[in-house]
Amino acid sequence: MLTAIDRLMPAALVTGIIDRQTNAVFDEVDVAGLNYCRQGPEWFHRRHPERVFCASETYPQEIADTWPDIWHLPYLIGDFVWTGWDYIGEASVSAWAYSNPEPYGWMREYGNRMAIRGHRTGPYRRYPGLLGGSGLIDITGELTGQMLYRQIVTGARRRPAITVRPMQLLYGDGATHTGRASRFIERGHDGVASWSWAGYEGRDAIVQVFSGGKTVQLTLNREVVGTAPVRRCMAEFHVPFEPGELTAVAYDAADCELGRDTLTSAGPETSSPHGSSACPIRIRKTMRAGTAPSCGSNPSR
């Protein structure tokens, strides 16, 4: 429904109904906020050039559109995204759906259809899932792929950022080809910064590299995988998974290196407590080299 509303927003602006409904309120405030209406500031400015606007609630991936607008439109002063930090509530409202998610066999238990008829999908998280799933920062305080993308678009991060679509969700029940995925509009990117997918060797990983450059070159264990153009601050590769070291190098239009990012596969398991003798302590599960494994990366579990 949100996707349909998003597509209808330009038509709603043309009818003038949004202007009529908001005019009295916007006349009283210093800054007028527009939710999920990225076309709104320019449209309203033509009719009310004295007003100042902010994007008071936007989808995370829309930063690729709103950030250039903020720089070029003097009457648009900023952007608030839904949402900065993930939260408990609206369980799985922003979670993507995958047709054959492993390792819990949700398809067998819940069937392969969601509310929208014809979409062969399965629930991303089963009961008792608690998190909304749309945060730029996850519930533990770690940056998500959505935050990495935002940092690249805004220039807060110069070097590229590698993310990988979760292989245990793309492949289900031992499938050799990826299942279908249904993306929810409030979660623009679903990748994680991990190259630890034990049990999925030889199957294609979908690698998405966020970059402000012109092209990205990807290497796996020092062998060049390929070079891809950057579109809307992202380059995508399909790479057969092989444990080791995955490196992305970003280049500008003159083929000068802008920066690089590397993901390393986890090795044998170990658990190490971090912190002092005071309680509570934080425990991080890592492998021998100190790399954390992907959640559920072993399909046998």
Side-chain angles (χ1 to χ4, degrees):
M1 184 175 68
L2 286 176
T3 302
I5 292 173
D6 187 61
R7 291 173 180 170
L8 290 171
M9 190 62 73
L13 285 169
V14 171
T15 66
I17 188 171
I18 299 177
D19 191 22
R20 293 193 297 273
Q21 294 288 342
T22 60
N23 191 53
V25 174
F26 284 177
D27 276 344
E28 300 296 325
V29 298
D30 295 324
V31 179
L34 295 170
N35 286 17
Y36 305 110
C37 187
R38 63 180 179 272
Q39 306 89 353
E42 289 186 274
W43 189 93
F44 277 104
H45 181 71
R46 291 193 292 269
R47 289 152 182 80
H48 307 280
E50 75 285 357
R51 289 180 180 168
V52 177
F53 296 91
C54 75
S56 46
E57 191 170 324
T58 63
Y59 303 119
Q61 67 275 14
E62 286 186 342
I63 190 64
D65 300 303
T66 56
W67 188 249
D69 286 347
I70 290 166
W71 277 98
H72 295 117
L73 305 178
Y75 47 86
L76 179 61
I77 63 172
D79 168 88
F80 291 89
V81 65
W82 188 265
T83 183
W85 203 299
D86 204 0
Y87 53 93
I88 297 175
E90 295 187 308
S92 301
V93 67
S94 300
W96 290 20
Y98 288 84
S99 61
N100 293 309
E102 279 284 347
Y104 302 114
W106 294 320
M107 287 282 289
R108 292 188 296 272
E109 188 167 349
Y110 292 103
N112 63 1
R113 295 180 184 274
M114 293 183 70
I116 303 176
R117 181 175 299 176
H119 283 222
R120 293 182 58 80
T121 57
Y124 180 91
R125 297 185 180 94
R126 69 187 288 187
Y127 177 84
L130 298 175
L131 305 180
S134 62
L136 303 182
I137 302 172
D138 72 19
I139 200 70
T140 69
E142 298 292 332
L143 304 186
T144 68
Q146 301 197 119
M147 175 62 92
L148 295 174
Y149 183 72
R150 195 175 188 87
Q151 289 178 331
I152 291 292
V153 172
T154 60
R157 177 183 173 121
R158 292 296 184 183
R159 63 188 182 91
I162 306 173
T163 63
V164 183
R165 297 278 303 282
M167 294 191 72
Q168 82 274 20
L169 299 178
L170 286 170
Y171 295 94
D173 297 327
T176 57
H177 299 285
T178 58
R180 293 176 60 183
S182 179
R183 189 184 79 175
F184 188 73
I185 195 170
E186 285 190 344
R187 186 180 179 93
H189 300 95
D190 206 32
V192 295
S194 175
W195 192 241
S196 300
W197 306 100
Y200 295 92
E201 289 80 0
R203 283 180 270 187
D204 274 0
I206 301 177
V207 179
Q208 296 175 327
V209 182
F210 305 141
S211 170
K214 189 73 173 179
T215 59
V216 170
Q217 184 183 77
L218 193 70
T219 62
L220 176 56
N221 296 327
R222 300 185 180 181
E223 296 289 332
V224 175
V225 172
T227 300
V230 176
R231 298 186 176 91
R232 291 179 64 84
C233 293
M234 187 183 79
E236 184 170 291
F237 302 84
H238 288 231
V239 185
F241 174 68
E242 174 187 321
E245 188 174 274
L246 186 71
T247 298
V249 183
Y251 296 92
D252 63 14
D255 287 333
C256 296
E257 181 177 329
L258 297 174
R260 57 181 61 205
D261 188 28
T262 298
L263 298 179
T264 304
S265 300
E269 293 186 6
T270 182
S271 296
S272 301
H274 297 279
S276 66
S277 58
C279 290
I281 64 172
R282 182 169 181 171
I283 297 175
R284 179 178 175 85
K285 179 182 177 182
T286 67
M287 302 313 204
R288 184 172 296 165
T291 304
S294 302
C295 178
S297 62
N298 188 338
S300 65
R301 297 184 176 183

